Amino acid sequence: MKILVIGSGGREHALIWKLRESQRTKEIYCAPGNAGIAQEAECLPVDPGRPQEILGLAQRLNADLTAIGPEAPLVAGVVDEFEREGLAIIGPTRAAARLEGSKIFAKQFMQRHQIPTAGFAVAEGFEDAVKAVDRFPLPVVIKADGLAAGKGVVIARAREQAVRVLDQFMRQRTLGDAGRRVVIEECLTGEEASFIVLTDGRSILPFPPARDHKPVFDDDQGPNTGGMGAYSDDSILDARRRSEILRRIVTPTLEGMAAQGAPYRGFLYCGLMLTDDGPKVLEYNVRMGDPEAQPLMMRLRSDLVEILLALRQSQLGVIEARWSPNPAVCVVLASAGYPGQYGTGKAITGYEAAEALGGVKVFHAGTRFVDHQLVTSGGRVLGVTAVAESLPTAIQRAYAAVRKIRFEGMHYRRDIGAKELERLPRGAKGARSPKADPSRPARPTRPKSGNFSRPKL
Ligand code: AMP
Ligand code: GLY
């Protein structure tokens, strides 16, 4: 088969790395890709925001299957274009992608279908938005309605901050049209979890749970980023929690979308807050998560091409996906200044030595080659990902690999997965906390889960 993947991040590198393992993959292409992807697939230029360009590329390549990494092409209707031409693609249609493309749509949809989520108000104008803020306790969450590349959500701790953000979004239009309308939302507390499923609209293939680390600095300090690291371990959501999420969130979401004439196919990512009142949806994403895809792909033992073909043939309910029981951890290495302004073109060294460590894969995001030298070309540069028989060992392995890599201004979080370790019973699995760098306060323990099982719709 000829497979085309659209995107250029660590997520796409991880997907390609996994797709390439399949016996069925004869040729694999990525557009636009990055330097790491270029070592595993042929990279071609494309503007991911232009569905017509993506379609044209797939037609020229005669691709048997196209997988879309980021949300922008999905929200812009790339799947509709492919379907019109009878070309195979993985992802939701434009109508279904509104679950991510419009936060107002998503919140009203959840409200209609009694899917647990934070209380909210929709505001169309600045004055209304300020009035809405006054109806919520502080802190209050402000969300731009449209896609904003991770910059559209602010947790305002004071009223003045809320008003300032509303002014920026709605009057100054700092996010363009995305901030014309907003959602004002109750601030939830608890631990977050990323619950990702693949669905053909009828049956569901849930992936093991994962957890992202969004704020830029250790201990969740500083502004949000696209994700500074993630880990996947079954203990994030035990079997009971997973079936509760499938029953109360995923199934009603798919049934609700089908009922309103927009059946959902593809990856569905539920960003959850695990509150004292149970799991609540913070957001939907209509694609795989990044960085979550990196540890998840390292745990996947089944053939990803077979899984995607099963989705195409509406056979997801009859195939089995095998996962390593071992946890995996991804630490993102970022450019100085990220998530704000950052420079590029910094020489990267040590990545080969990092990958030479067993159980480690270095996924590329913002990288390119200049005269045979690997250099930085984005905010998130590399995703150093390790798998091991226990979470402490996976964390140690990932950080051992990180320490081999250098580029000017490189920064990363030193506490990826650390909170989970504090929940493990004392002395569990015989490894010390990798958080020998900084130390963390103890947290209450939570029981470890049983095996990961797969229910159907
Ligand atoms: P989003 O871009 O919608 O994923 O939101 C980014 C991050 O903002 C989430 O991962 C949460 O950390 C945080 N967040 C979003 N909504 C809420 C909420 N209602 N309460 C608390 N935190 C939230
Ligand atoms: N990891 C968060 C996201 O993919 O949006």
Side-chain angles (χ1 to χ4, degrees), residues 11 71 100 194 212-214 225-227 230 269 283 285 287-292 380:
R11 166 183 49 211
E71 60 279 13
E100 180 168 359
S194 307
D212 191 9
H213 295 62
K214 284 213 169 92
T225 67
Y269 167 135
E283 58 157 352
N285 292 321
R287 51 172 172 80
M288 233 316 175
D290 193 2
E292 289 94 326
R380 289 189 291 178

Side-chain angles (χ1 to χ4, degrees), residues 63-146:
D64 298 300
L65 187 65
T66 300
I68 306 289
E71 60 279 13
L74 297 166
V75 171
V78 69
V79 170
D80 309 62
E81 299 277 350
F82 272 61
E83 286 181 350
R84 208 169 294 132
E85 297 294 325
L87 259 72
I89 188 163
I90 304 293
T93 59
R94 179 196 191 119
R98 290 182 74 200
L99 281 178
E100 180 168 359
S102 166
K103 296 216 191 281
I104 296 176
F105 173 84
K107 294 296 290 189
Q108 292 175 338
F109 171 85
M110 286 187 269
Q111 189 176 47
R112 268 200 312 282
H113 296 279
Q114 283 115 46
I115 295 167
T117 189
F120 71 102
V122 169
E124 310 253 346
F126 175 77
E127 309 296 335
D128 279 354
V130 174
K131 279 193 203 135
V133 160
D134 289 333
R135 294 203 297 274
F136 287 85
L138 292 167
V140 63
V141 185
I142 296 171
K143 297 186 170 180
D145 177 47

Side-chain angles (χ1 to χ4, degrees), residues 33 38 46 48 80 86 164 394 423 452:
V46 85
D80 309 62
R164 197 167 57 242
R423 277 190 284 267
F452 188 70

Side-chain angles (χ1 to χ4, degrees), residues 147-160:
L147 292 184
K151 297 196 175 76
V153 177
V154 176
I155 299 178
R157 310 212 169 267
R159 184 178 186 276
E160 305 78 76

Side-chain angles (χ1 to χ4, degrees), residues 190-195 208-214 229-233 235-237 241 269 272 274 291-292 295-296 328 330 416-417 419-420 423 446:
E191 290 290 332
E192 289 185 42
S194 307
F195 191 73
R211 178 168 285 141
D212 191 9
H213 295 62
K214 284 213 169 92
Y231 66 99
S232 171
D233 185 7
S235 67
I236 295 171
L237 296 168
R241 270 272 169 85
Y269 167 135
L272 305 173
L274 308 177
E292 289 94 326
L296 285 170
C330 168
I416 305 302
K419 275 191 201 163
E420 189 73 17
R423 277 190 284 267
R446 209 151 42 100

Side-chain angles (χ1 to χ4, degrees), residues 339-359:
Q341 299 272 338
Y342 55 82
T344 58
K346 313 291 181 203
I348 305 169
T349 59
Y351 56 99
E352 283 149 328
E355 222 168 45
L357 298 177

